[in-house]
């Protein structure tokens, strides 16, 4: 019974993961690809505290799902942005709502650095939202991508990451470690090639010396042979 329940739970997790990836792929193709943008990551969220929104503000379309998406432009110079995307009940399409440039992000609050938590806050220049992600792991993945994107594309004022777990902040370090490993491997390969080149060079020098010695020996032998012949 326990084994059957475990298999069922694993199957449900796999199904949820597949559905999540499928939705994110659809958002990327429908919302960002037409604008020549590339979506780096997204997290499904709901508000921790409900806002009083006028009926007309949502178009009277009823319930909806909300996604916070991080994207960059394909054209240089690269511009990064955070976009709120909604999918209304009964619809298969997605709607772009609020959008902020990454430079407008001031603070990312992970709420609790000591445990896995799905809650987080985003503070922009002109907005503040309190969210709950669908899962703590999805929030963690999004935070890692967001932190790395800030480090890569923001040169002046970077947002403050507070109350975040070390594994979230370590995403960039992991990437740097991988880059360092590749660099080290290249350096070792280059050194090996240089050493091999030096050995080949010494071998060529020895070959040339042997060639010259053989030629001198042949000339000397020829002279002796001619002398005895005479």
């Amino acid at each position: 019974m326990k084994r059957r329940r475990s298999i069922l739970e694993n199957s449900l997790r796999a199904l949820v993961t597949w559905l999540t990836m499928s939705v994110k792929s659809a958002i990327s193709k429908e919302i960002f690809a037409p604008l020549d943008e590339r979506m780096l990551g997204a997290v499904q969220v709901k508000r921790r505290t409900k806002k009083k929104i006028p009926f007309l503000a949502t178009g009277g379309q009823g319930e909806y799902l909300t996604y916070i998406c991080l994207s960059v432009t394909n054209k240089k110079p690269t511009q990064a942005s955070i976009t709120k995307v909604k999918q209304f009940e009964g619809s298969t399409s997605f709607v772009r709502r609020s959008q902020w440039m990454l430079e407008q992000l001031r603070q990312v609050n992970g709420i609790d650095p000591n445990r896995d938590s799905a809650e987080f806050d985003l503070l922009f220049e002109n907005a503040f939202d309190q969210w709950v992600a669908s899962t703590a792991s999805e929030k963690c993945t999004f935070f890692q991508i967001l932190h790395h994107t800030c480090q890569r594309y923001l040169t002046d004022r970077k947002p403050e990451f507070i109350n975040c777990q070390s594994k979230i902040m370590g995403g960039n370090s992991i990437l740097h470690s991988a880059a360092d490993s590749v660099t080290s491997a290249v350096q070792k390969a280059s050194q090996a090639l240089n050493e091999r080149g030096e050995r080949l060079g010494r071998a060529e020098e020895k070959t040339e010396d042997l060639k010259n010695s053989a030629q001198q020996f042949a000339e000397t032998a020829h002279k002796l042979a001619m002398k005895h012949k005479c």
Side-chain angles (χ1 to χ4, degrees):
M1 185 67 179
K2 290 183 178 179
R3 182 181 178 185
R4 185 179 298 175
R5 182 181 298 175
S6 177
I7 293 174
L8 179 59
E9 290 176 351
N10 291 334
S11 299
L12 287 174
R13 288 196 198 97
L15 177 60
V16 170
T17 301
W18 180 83
L19 289 173
T20 301
M21 295 301 294
S22 179
V23 168
K24 291 179 181 178
S25 176
I27 292 174
S28 178
K29 291 179 181 178
E30 186 174 335
I31 298 295
F32 298 103
L35 298 177
D36 198 24
E37 295 180 7
R38 178 165 48 95
M39 192 178 81
L40 302 179
V43 56
Q44 183 182 337
V45 298
K46 62 180 181 180
R47 292 188 184 279
R48 293 209 310 275
T49 55
K50 290 186 178 180
K51 286 186 176 182
K52 293 183 179 180
I53 303 176
F55 179 77
L56 293 176
T58 61
Q61 293 175 280
E63 297 296 324
Y64 53 83
L65 298 176
T66 303
Y67 300 88
I68 302 298
C69 307
L70 178 64
S71 64
V72 294
T73 58
N74 290 319
K75 293 182 179 180
K76 305 293 183 180
T78 304
Q79 297 291 323
S81 60
I82 295 176
T83 306
K84 187 190 302 180
V85 174
K86 293 185 177 182
Q87 183 183 34
F88 288 92
E89 186 179 17
S91 174
T92 58
S93 61
F94 300 91
V95 180
R96 181 191 294 258
R97 290 300 191 184
S98 306
Q99 185 176 49
W100 301 269
M101 300 305 296
L102 194 59
E103 291 86 349
Q104 294 178 288
L105 182 62
R106 291 291 171 258
Q107 187 183 85
V108 179
N109 189 343
I111 305 300
D112 193 337
N114 300 315
R115 66 180 180 88
D116 290 335
S117 169
E119 299 179 350
F120 66 95
D121 297 342
L122 295 179
L123 175 63
F124 297 93
E125 287 180 351
N126 57 353
F128 173 68
D129 282 316
Q130 297 176 311
W131 300 107
V132 180
S134 58
T135 64
S137 62
E138 190 176 359
K139 164 200 164 183
C140 179
T141 300
F142 181 75
F143 268 35
Q144 287 177 333
I145 297 172
L146 178 60
H147 182 261
H148 173 65
T149 304
C150 290
Q151 298 301 313
R152 180 176 181 181
Y153 294 109
L154 298 181
T155 55
D156 297 328
R157 186 175 179 180
K158 295 181 175 63
E160 179 185 22
F161 281 75
I162 64 172
N163 299 321
C164 294
Q165 292 177 294
S166 57
K167 63 181 179 180
I168 292 176
M169 306 302 289
N172 198 31
S173 299
I174 294 172
L175 292 172
H176 280 302
S177 297
D180 291 341
S181 298
V182 172
T183 302
S184 177
V186 171
Q187 290 175 344
K188 288 180 180 179
S190 177
Q191 183 178 353
L193 287 173
N194 290 335
E195 291 175 353
R196 183 181 178 186
E198 291 176 359
R199 289 196 297 269
L200 287 174
R202 289 194 295 269
E204 289 177 355
E205 290 177 359
K206 289 181 180 180
T207 301
E208 189 67 25
D209 291 340
L210 288 173
K211 181 181 177 181
N212 292 334
S213 298
Q215 187 175 356
Q216 290 176 1
F217 178 79
E219 291 177 355
T220 302
H222 179 71
K223 289 179 180 179
L224 288 173
M226 294 298 295
K227 182 177 181 183
H228 287 295
K229 186 176 180 180
C230 296

